[in-house]
Amino acid sequence: DGGITQSPKYLFRKEGQNVTLSCEQNLNHDAMYWYRQDPGQGLRLIYYSQIVNDFQKGDIAEGYSVSREKKESFPLTVTSAQKNPTAFYLCASSTGTGRNEQFFGPGTRLTVL
Amino acid sequence: AQSVTQLGSHVSVSEGALVLLRCNYSSSVPPYLFWYVQYPNQGLQLLLKYTSAATLVKGINGFEAEFKKSETSFHLTKPSAHMSDAAEYFCAVSDRKGYSTLTFGKGTMLLVSP
């Protein structure tokens, strides 16, 4: 089955620790995206990548970092610089062109204690 | 920059009633438009999309949306609500340039009562 996997589903971390969220896709999509979702805020774009070894900041990149070493993988690191990291994080992928929809993973809920 | 407005953070309907979820976009050039649905603690699933073919777009689960350029709107409708339609719905827009990101509205929670 083609799709996007995110792991883990739930993640707990202590304040001040960096944490890395995994995102893998087997859809052969060029573009991948990370969003943050908070209640009543919709989805806000953190980072996106249109091609391997290249990525761009989205609207709320501060306190986050990414890498894109393989087409299939786009991990997100939530650093200790992120002031309010508790949220639901969604990864998506697409062919990259604006007319084509993004496909979403099941999400990771991060709670910082 | 693109923006999307979804009117009403919560919409309540009775089972069997018409569902109408509103979406307006701001763009001088008609964008590509999408509706997604999200069930609790899950990812988003595409309901339908408008990419400049027919202005009335049919999607999954009996939903449809009509693109109205004069009103800069792309409202989502379903003639008869089902309990399983209870979820959060997001409208999103994308520019018509080659590579583009999606801009999402804040979402509308649909509540369906028996």
Side-chain angles (χ1 to χ4, degrees):
Chain A
D1 273 343
I4 302 176
T5 57
Q6 291 186 244
S7 61
K9 180 69 174 175
Y10 298 95
L11 190 54
F12 297 88
R13 280 295 182 268
K14 292 183 178 178
E15 196 171 335
Q17 289 181 333
N18 290 358
V19 61
T20 298
L21 281 59
S22 169
C23 177
E24 304 275 335
Q25 56 99 359
N26 61 4
L27 299 168
N28 199 33
H29 284 163
D30 288 321
M32 297 187 73
Y33 311 82
W34 274 106
Y35 294 92
R36 172 181 172 138
Q37 186 178 18
D38 298 283
Q41 296 291 320
L43 276 71
R44 293 182 288 170
L45 183 63
I46 303 173
Y47 269 98
Y48 64 102
S49 168
Q50 294 169 342
I51 198 168
V52 174
N53 293 322
D54 188 39
F55 47 84
Q56 287 77 40
K57 293 181 179 180
D59 300 318
I60 57 164
E62 185 175 349
Y64 300 96
S65 66
V66 293
S67 63
R68 186 89 186 275
E69 297 177 0
K70 299 186 300 181
K71 187 174 184 178
E72 302 79 17
S73 179
F74 191 41
L76 173 75
T77 297
V78 184
T79 75
S80 57
Q82 168 49 234
K83 292 188 172 63
N84 185 18
T86 294
F88 191 51
Y89 291 87
L90 288 159
C91 179
S93 72
S94 78
T95 59
T97 58
R99 68 182 295 121
N100 291 320
E101 65 268 29
Q102 293 181 13
F103 292 80
F104 283 81
T108 292
R109 187 166 296 281
L110 173 63
T111 302
V112 175
L113 306 171
Chain B
Q2 294 272 13
S3 69
V4 180
T5 302
Q6 291 185 241
L7 190 61
S9 60
H10 291 79
V11 169
S12 295
V13 300
S14 299
E15 193 172 19
L18 171 71
V19 175
L20 171 61
L21 304 181
R22 299 178 187 274
C23 173
N24 289 88
Y25 65 91
S26 66
S27 174
S28 57
V29 176
Y32 298 126
L33 291 152
F34 305 83
W35 274 101
Y36 284 88
V37 60
Q38 184 182 35
Y39 297 98
N41 291 312
Q42 294 186 25
L44 276 66
Q45 179 184 8
L46 181 73
L47 280 176
L48 48 81
K49 65 179 181 181
Y50 168 75
T51 57
S52 79
T55 56
L56 182 62
V57 181
K58 293 187 184 301
I60 62 171
N61 301 341
F63 284 93
E64 62 182 37
E66 186 172 9
F67 172 72
K68 292 187 177 180
K69 183 179 176 181
S70 60
E71 299 177 7
T72 60
S73 69
F74 190 56
H75 301 331
L76 183 71
T77 61
K78 182 173 180 178
S80 176
H82 193 272
M83 296 295 290
S84 61
D85 294 326
E88 190 158 23
Y89 293 79
F90 293 93
C91 182
V93 299
S94 172
D95 285 332
R96 287 179 172 268
K97 59 187 179 185
Y99 278 91
S100 184
T101 59
L102 284 178
T103 300
F104 284 85
K106 292 187 184 300
T108 297
M109 184 69 72
L110 177 65
L111 307 169
V112 183
S113 56

